[in-house]
Amino acid sequence: AEAEREVSNDLMHAVLYVEKSHKQPAQLANDINQLLNQATHAAKKYPQVKIETGAQSTYPIYDADNRKLKEWRGRSEIRLESADFKASSQLISELQQYLQTSSIHFSVSDQKRKQVETELMMEASQNFQQRAKTMAKAWNKASYQLVSLNINTNNYAYAAAMPRVAMMKASADSVTEQNVAAGDSKMSVSASGAIQLD
């Protein structure tokens, strides 16, 4: 027996990055670090938005013959997470002046997920009991005994990543704040087991 529900996403996730090239790896690292430090400083104005460092990489770029080192390219990410969509959108619009957006998606927070899972576990258990009663009745049995019961809280499917947003570097001094739509996630819980008809 199953129980499922569409749950409104209440958590916003975003990944922004900077990618630059330079002939000197030290200067490249310095340029990238300055922009990341600038982003971290800007995020302090939004305490309701959690910011953390993401993936970082530096690799060589060779010429067409793949023989001579041409330059170094580096890429670094920052990750944002918040339940405050307004603050997140404002921060992203600020950061898009010198960072690019890799992805934005939404999910259900752990607190809300646990609450809904508890409700779905009760509902799935009640559905299992109802099916057991139906089986007993179909076999003309007065009652049944529960032999085993397993409750499975399936991984829910969160909203897919939004269309690419401002992937190109902003040419203006400011970027228009985006209105976001969080969408829903489907959560389900299943109850399976065995009964003995009396």
Side-chain angles (χ1 to χ4, degrees):
E2 282 192 342
E4 63 180 27
R5 189 179 305 173
E6 294 285 341
V7 184
S8 298
N9 294 315
D10 61 342
L11 207 57
M12 180 176 178
H13 310 265
V15 178
L16 293 94
Y17 70 95
V18 56
E19 187 168 351
K20 285 185 167 294
S21 300
H22 201 282
K23 292 184 177 181
Q24 299 298 325
Q27 185 60 49
L28 172 63
N30 186 62
D31 293 345
I32 290 177
N33 290 342
Q34 284 183 350
L35 290 176
L36 292 181
N37 291 342
Q38 188 176 343
T40 303
H41 180 73
K44 290 181 178 179
K45 294 184 294 183
Y46 302 89
Q48 60 273 58
V49 180
K50 177 183 175 183
I51 181 172
E52 65 179 29
T53 303
Q56 299 186 27
S57 62
T58 303
Y59 51 94
I61 302 295
Y62 294 93
D63 60 16
D65 296 328
N66 203 31
R67 295 179 180 178
K68 186 178 180 182
L69 178 63
K70 184 178 178 182
E71 61 186 3
W72 292 86
R73 182 168 297 164
R75 176 186 168 111
S76 292
E77 296 178 346
I78 59 168
R79 302 177 183 275
L80 307 179
E81 179 181 287
S82 180
D84 190 329
F85 297 168
K86 179 73 173 176
S88 297
S89 296
Q90 289 176 344
L91 176 57
I92 290 172
S93 68
E94 283 191 34
L95 298 182
Q96 283 176 334
Q97 296 178 48
Y98 47 90
L99 298 181
Q100 299 180 57
T101 303
S102 174
S103 66
I104 297 176
H105 72 273
F106 302 88
S107 67
V108 178
S109 64
D110 287 343
Q111 181 179 358
K112 187 173 184 179
R113 177 181 54 79
K114 290 176 182 177
Q115 175 189 341
V116 174
E117 276 185 351
T118 299
E119 296 170 359
L120 290 176
M121 286 171 66
M122 292 290 294
E123 188 177 332
S125 297
Q126 292 169 356
N127 291 344
F128 183 87
Q129 292 177 48
Q130 187 60 46
R131 287 195 172 193
K133 290 177 182 177
T134 300
M135 288 297 296
K137 184 177 180 181
W139 287 89
N140 294 317
K141 299 295 182 179
S143 62
Y144 70 89
Q145 295 290 331
L146 181 63
V147 177
S148 65
L149 179 65
N150 298 309
I151 301 293
N152 180 35
T153 55
N154 299 322
N155 293 326
Y156 65 92
Y158 60 75
M162 294 179 60
R164 298 165 77 178
V165 183
M167 292 297 287
M168 297 189 67
K169 188 173 181 179
S171 57
D173 290 335
S174 62
V175 178
T176 302
E177 178 187 332
Q178 181 187 20
N179 295 323
V180 297
D184 298 327
S185 293
K186 181 179 287 187
M187 294 182 60
S188 65
V189 171
S190 63
S192 61
I195 60 171
Q196 179 178 316
L197 300 177
D198 296 334

